[in-house]
Each structure stands twice: as structure tokens, then as C-alpha cells.
Amino acid sequence: MPTTILNGKEVSQSVYSALKSRISALKSQSITPNLAVILVGEDPASQVYVRNKTRQFSNHGLFSDTITYPSDITQEVLLSKIYELNKNNQFHGILVQFPLPNHIDVDAIINAIDPKKDVDGFHPYNLGCLTAGKPIFIPCTPKGIMRIFHHYNISISGKHVVVVGRSNIVGRPISILTSLKQVNSNGTTTICHSGTINIGQYTKQADIVILALGSPEFLKGKDIKEGAVIIDVGINRVDNDSPKGYKIVGDGEEASLKGKASACTPVPGGVGPMTIAMLVENTVEAAERSLL
Ligand code: NDP
């Protein structure tokens, strides 16, 4: 079966186009959406993610400010910076790039962010609103996946969706989003994790599989049914002989999934660009709400 490639880059461009008039309307009121990014330590992957995110802000005429700290920063200093940013009207959104060093309590950091500036949608208030079916800020990656479904007219209603992974940033929120009693949702969702016995028995029944576990090429073609839609969130570095010394692969084995799946997201170029587009959109939303 021919497999449609769900091109996240293309979908993200349509998101940016749709945001243009909203950004202009804000600017006409002397407001430019502005994101504060906190980056702790020297992790190269985190540095790349922050660079890619902030680049899209400047590409679309928005502001961002990256505040960097060494990895031995204390939790108290980090918290006091967040409290300061919460009060600073110049910033509409606050993003703390994860992972943080082990001595920092991630929950304390997330809980400190003003939910009105929580453009990553990780604060328990925002996760609670999402769970209640009345989302305010939706975490960027799950929101981006829903936008891919919408763009390609992939209906979830009545479908069996199997999510592999239950993190608060991807697996859990996408399992909620796909099962809400709402137009563009209304799926029957199963969530698998490291405690699931024989994940293949679930993925083989799925109309849609969403992979968010962080295990290179975990899902093979033999583990899906013919015509399933595969959304691959995974970003994994695998060593190889290339000049860079590694390549990026997803949580699905592209070679065996292609030809059996009806549609799949590539890695890279699938979910990744949508995560950034949704961060930009959430920051525009935060700026709009600041006027209410
Ligand atoms: P986490 O490590 O926080 O969560 C992984 C989840 O997968 C956990 O629930 C874990 O189970 C489960 N899991 C791990 N290994 C297995 C396994 N072998 N079998 C079944 N379940 C397993 O990861 P994230 O959710 O943050 O990220 C997942 C992947 O997505 C990573 O590769 C990450 O880099 C990528 N990512 C990509 C983004 C993008 O924009 N494209 C954005 C965010 C993440 P348990 O709960 O039992 O531990």
C-alpha cells in the first residue's frame, strides 16, 4: 500500500501563515509576542532545541530572550527568576528547557510558572483543564499532532488509537486529546508503557499508533495492521559511519512501516516542526489573552 508522508514542515508553514494576521493585529496595538526561555547547562541537544525554537520567533517577527545558567545553578535562583518573569509584562510566555540537572526539582519549577504564561502547557492547572476537556494551553507536541490529523483530514472519531508512552509532555496529553468528546477527537484510546505486556498485541489492533517512548526503531511493520496511521514522536540518536557520527531515527522502523502503513510522519520533518509551530501559536495566544 502506498504510504502518505505526513509532512510536518508543510503543516507548520500553514500554521505560520494563519498566524500572520493575528500577529499583525497584536502589533497594531503595540504588542509583540515575547517568549522568555530558560536554558540550564551545556547539553548540546537542548542548545539545538532552544536555537531552533527561538529562530522561528525571529523568523516571524516575534521576540524571544534566552536566559542561560550554568548547570550548578541553585533551585532557589531559578525559582526567583521565574517569579520575576511571571511579573514582567514584557514577556507573554515562559519556557524552561528540559532536561534540568538532577538537583533541581522539575515539578517545583513547572509549578512556579504562572499558568497564564505556561506556553508549554505543563503546569498542573493547564493539564487539569485539558483533562476536563476545557483546554487553555495544550502541550505543544500533542497539539501539533492533532493539527497534523486535521490538516490531512485524518478522522479520529470511532478509531482505535494506541499511544506508546505516558509522559506528561507527550503520551498522557495526546491520550487525553484523542479521546475527548469533541469534534476532531472522539477516539478510543489505549495507552501503553513500560509496564505493558506484549505491546504488539495492542499496536496490531490500532487504526492510529502514536509512538512517544524514545526507543530507536521500536515499532516494526509486523506490529501494525495494514493501513494504520503512524505518528512518530521519537527523536533518537543512533551512531553510524557518517561524518557526523550519528543519525536521527524515530521510535518506528521506517523501512518496514512504509508500504504497510497508510500514512506516517517522517523523522525528522514530522512532529518536530509542529512542536515549534505550536509553541509560537501558544505564545501568540498568551499575548492575545494578556489584552483581555
Ligand atoms: P519520557 O522518557 O518522558 O517518556 C517515555 C515514555 O515511554 C514513558 O512513559 C515510558 O514508560 C515509555 N517507555 C519507554 N521505553 C518503553 C518501552 N521499551 N516500552 C514501552 N514503553 C516505554 O519521554 P518523552 O515523552 O519526553 O519523549 C518521548 C520521545 O519523544 C523521545 O524520543 C523524545 O526525544 C521525543 N520527543 C520529541 C518531540 C518532538 O517535538 N518531536 C517533543 C518531545 C519529545 P514509563 O512511564 O513506564 O517509564
Side-chain angles (χ1 to χ4, degrees):
M1 144 173 316
T3 303
T4 302
I5 300 300
L6 306 172
N7 186 335
K9 274 191 197 161
E10 203 176 285
V11 187
S12 72
Q13 288 314 315
S14 73
V15 171
Y16 294 126
S17 299
L19 283 176
K20 269 186 192 153
S21 59
R22 290 168 65 182
I23 295 170
S24 301
L26 284 164
K27 289 195 174 183
S28 69
Q29 297 176 76
S30 304
I31 290 180
T32 300
N34 193 350
L35 176 72
V37 180
I38 295 180
L39 174 61
V40 179
E42 311 272 304
D43 175 37
S46 292
Q47 289 172 336
V48 171
Y49 291 143
V50 166
R51 218 177 304 131
N52 290 345
K53 288 171 185 174
T54 53
R55 190 188 301 130
Q56 289 302 339
F57 276 72
S58 62
N59 283 353
H60 298 92
L62 311 183
F63 296 148
S64 67
D65 195 356
T66 304
I67 302 141
T68 56
Y69 289 109
S71 54
D72 61 356
I73 182 85
T74 65
Q75 182 164 314
E76 288 65 34
V77 171
L78 212 48
L79 286 172
S80 64
K81 186 69 194 177
I82 292 171
Y83 297 141
E84 181 196 313
L85 293 168
N86 283 343
K87 283 194 238 135
N88 186 339
N89 291 337
Q90 190 192 328
F91 294 106
H92 306 98
I94 300 171
L95 178 149
V96 179
Q97 183 63 43
F98 296 131
L100 291 172
N102 289 338
H103 65 279
I104 309 261
D105 176 354
V106 174
D107 288 335
I109 298 301
I110 291 174
N111 293 351
I113 298 172
D114 181 343
K116 292 196 227 48
K117 297 192 177 188
D118 173 37
V119 288
D120 253 340
F122 297 164
H123 191 284
Y125 178 81
N126 282 314
L127 289 177
C129 290
L130 173 63
T131 307
K134 296 182 173 56
I136 300 173
F137 287 118
I138 300 173
C140 301
T141 303
K143 189 179 183 188
I145 294 171
M146 295 304 283
R147 211 54 78 77
I148 290 174
F149 291 139
H150 184 68
H151 183 91
Y152 284 97
N153 285 320
I154 297 169
S155 169
I156 299 174
S157 189
K159 302 277 175 63
H160 183 198
V161 182
V162 171
V163 179
V164 189
R166 59 177 162 187
S167 74
N168 283 344
I169 67 169
V170 191
R172 181 77 63 195
I174 193 64
S175 73
I176 295 166
L177 279 169
T178 51
S179 58
L180 288 176
K181 189 169 184 175
Q182 282 180 5
V183 180
N184 295 334
S185 180
N186 209 29
T188 303
T189 303
T190 300
I191 182 160
C192 300
H193 43 73
S194 65
T196 305
I197 295 161
N198 191 359
I199 289 177
Q201 73 173 309
Y202 298 98
T203 56
K204 274 180 200 150
Q205 295 174 41
D207 302 304
I208 299 171
V209 182
I210 301 175
L211 297 165
L213 65 156
S215 178
E217 303 185 319
F218 174 87
L219 188 80
K220 321 280 185 210
K222 67 177 175 50
D223 297 319
I224 64 164
K225 73 176 180 187
E226 188 88 25
V229 172
I230 312 296
I231 303 291
D232 193 342
V233 181
I235 301 175
N236 308 290
R237 263 187 194 204
V238 175
D239 293 343
N240 70 2
D241 300 333
S242 71
K244 269 200 294 191
Y246 67 88
K247 64 173 178 170
I248 299 291
V249 300
D251 289 344
E253 187 186 61
E254 197 181 310
S256 62
L257 292 169
K258 263 194 189 160
K260 192 165 183 192
S262 61
C264 67
T265 54
V267 176
V271 176
M274 289 306 294
T275 298
I276 299 179
M278 293 300 108
L279 176 67
V280 173
E281 186 177 275
N282 280 354
T283 307
V284 170
E285 267 174 39
E288 288 168 343
R289 287 203 193 106
S290 73
L291 290 168
L292 300 177

